[in-house]
Amino acid sequence: MAEEKVTTMGFLQHNAMTTAIRDAYIAFSERREALGLSNPGTVDNIAREVQKDVFLKNYMFTGLRADLTKPFSISPVFHVSHAFAMGSQEGLPPYTFATLYGTPKVFLQGNVDNEGQFSGRANYRWTDALVTKTNAQIAPGPDQAMFQVDNDYTGKDFTASLKALNPSILEGGLTGIYITSYLQSLTPSLAVGLEMMWKRAAVNTGPDTAVSYVAKYKGSDWIASAQLQAQGAISTSYWRKLTEKVEVGADLNLQFQPGMGGRGGLMGSGLRKEGTTTLGAKYDFRQSTFRAQVDSTGRLSCLLEKRVLPYVQLSFAGELDQFKQQAKVGLAVSVEAPNEELMVQQENAMNSSAPPPPF
């Protein structure tokens, strides 16, 4: 029996078809390796250089804000923080307590405010290529809970992701939002990919599906990206590094929606076209960073972050809406309170080759 099993396994591994498939795969892998392709990132971050580095979307705030952070350890990362806000037009709570813990494999973060709203993140790095990220939010009141889980696989020249938002089978069927994406480098400069979404709000309703296509081209000191969505929206971005301390970015969003009037549509309805263009710049100085942006809706925004002491940073934000005749301002101070031992740990961590936590 054992000899028969060995013979069967040998036939499966060394027959002509298996050998041809293995040789074809090896030849294909060698050609991909010879191209010198690099990982293109994820579809979610297709325009990261513009949206997250240059523009003010993730940095803008209004009112008064104060953040006090107390680090207890650098390796592993562990610190707690207290955030106070007043007069915020973004709905920031008056007080928020947060804690963070991170190792090369685990990342944990939790926030709770004075109204009882809780948000938490838990990420785990299974291997160097596979990372699972979870995000949960709980707030007082009905239907105020949210749960999301992401799985990102990072290959040498591609990234595959699977995301689920509020997944459930408790209603007798599959509900929630499920998104899968794939981004592949074709040349050292060009990467293309797609994103597919399946959404079902309840069992008694039919599912909705959508497919988006993305492309990214990287030059020596510039990056251009484009995304075509199934809903009729087109997004393009352009980022350029002018000098070591100056970056600029441009973003164009076009939406084509069915509207009344016009020609060429069903029953006399045409397409309503809406678009927004945004230009931004980022300046890095020795002790400060300045960001500014203007868009076609008449909004002018700026943000100045200045480190007045090694562990004290001041931030000033302002926004002026020319068409609505509205103005917003914000002032924040951030203070860190490390001790001498943590400063030594930080220097050692900078010289260490250990991977960072899976943020």
Side-chain angles (χ1 to χ4, degrees):
M1 180 66 70
E3 293 181 357
E4 182 179 354
K5 184 176 181 180
V6 172
T7 304
T8 303
M9 293 298 298
F11 172 77
L12 293 176
Q13 296 177 358
H14 301 289
N15 66 80
M17 181 177 294
T18 303
T19 303
I21 294 175
R22 183 173 62 251
D23 292 343
Y25 176 77
I26 294 175
F28 178 72
S29 300
E30 291 177 350
R31 291 183 180 180
R32 288 176 59 181
E33 193 73 22
L35 291 175
L37 303 179
S38 60
N39 183 270
T42 63
V43 172
D44 289 341
N45 293 325
I46 193 71
R48 178 184 60 84
E49 293 79 8
V50 175
Q51 298 291 344
K52 297 185 178 181
D53 293 343
V54 176
F55 286 176
L56 278 70
K57 181 179 180 181
N58 297 327
Y59 305 94
M60 193 64 190
F61 66 95
T62 58
L64 300 177
R65 199 182 72 190
D67 300 329
L68 175 61
T69 302
K70 174 62 178 177
F72 291 93
S73 175
I74 300 298
S75 181
V77 178
F78 176 63
H79 67 241
V80 298
S81 63
H82 307 268
F84 305 89
M86 183 175 62
S88 172
Q89 300 184 22
E90 289 84 16
L92 292 179
Y95 172 75
T96 302
F97 173 78
T99 182
L100 182 148
Y101 175 83
T103 68
K105 280 188 171 294
V106 178
F107 173 75
L108 302 174
Q109 183 182 25
N111 304 329
V112 61
D113 60 28
N114 59 289
E115 298 179 355
Q117 299 182 5
F118 169 81
S119 63
R121 297 169 56 196
N123 304 343
Y124 187 80
R125 178 181 281 119
W126 302 94
T127 65
D128 293 339
L130 180 61
V131 176
T132 297
K133 304 177 181 180
T134 60
N135 187 359
Q137 296 181 10
I138 302 175
D143 300 329
Q144 296 296 320
M146 188 277 292
F147 177 74
Q148 177 178 322
V149 56
D150 301 357
N151 293 280
D152 296 334
Y153 186 87
T154 304
K156 292 183 178 180
D157 56 5
F158 72 94
T159 300
S161 302
L162 177 62
K163 181 186 303 182
L165 179 62
N166 288 337
S168 176
I169 57 173
L170 301 179
E171 299 180 10
L174 187 63
T175 59
I177 301 176
Y178 302 87
I179 302 174
T180 180
S181 61
Y182 183 84
L183 189 61
Q184 172 71 56
S185 293
L186 299 182
T187 69
S189 300
L190 178 64
V192 297
L194 56 83
E195 182 179 74
M196 296 177 290
M197 182 193 70
W198 187 92
K199 178 175 67 175
R200 192 179 189 183
V203 178
N204 55 1
T205 61
D208 296 327
T209 59
V211 180
S212 302
Y213 304 92
V214 298
K216 181 178 182 179
Y217 191 89
K218 183 177 181 180
S220 58
D221 58 355
W222 60 275
I223 298 175
S225 63
Q227 184 172 5
L228 174 62
Q229 300 178 358
Q231 296 85 354
I234 300 176
S235 301
T236 61
S237 67
Y238 178 80
W239 173 87
R240 189 177 186 91
K241 192 177 187 67
L242 299 181
T243 66
E244 289 296 327
K245 297 183 178 182
V246 181
E247 303 175 15
V248 296
D251 185 81
L252 172 64
N253 289 308
L254 295 176
Q255 293 185 355
F256 301 91
Q257 300 176 351
M260 301 302 296
R263 297 181 180 179
L266 296 176
M267 300 181 65
S269 63
L271 287 177
R272 183 179 58 188
K273 293 173 286 186
E274 298 179 354
T276 304
T277 302
T278 306
L279 303 176
K282 175 187 175 183
Y283 298 83
D284 287 323
F285 301 98
R286 188 170 64 90
Q287 295 290 340
S288 61
T289 300
F290 178 75
R291 292 179 173 88
Q293 74 177 48
V294 60
D295 59 35
S296 56
T297 63
R299 290 188 302 178
L300 174 64
S301 307
C302 65
L303 174 70
L304 175 63
E305 298 173 320
K306 182 174 180 58
R307 190 164 293 278
V308 294
L309 291 173
Y311 298 101
V312 179
Q313 176 176 288
L314 294 179
S315 302
F316 174 80
E319 180 180 288
L320 177 62
D321 195 320
Q322 300 284 350
F323 295 158
K324 297 181 180 180
Q325 296 296 312
Q326 296 179 352
K328 303 176 183 179
V329 294
L331 180 63
V333 57
S334 301
V335 180
E336 296 182 6
N339 53 35
E340 295 183 359
E341 182 180 354
L342 290 179
M343 296 173 63
V344 175
Q345 291 184 13
Q346 185 175 7
E347 293 180 358
N348 296 334
M350 294 177 61
N351 300 326
S352 175
S353 59
F359 295 110

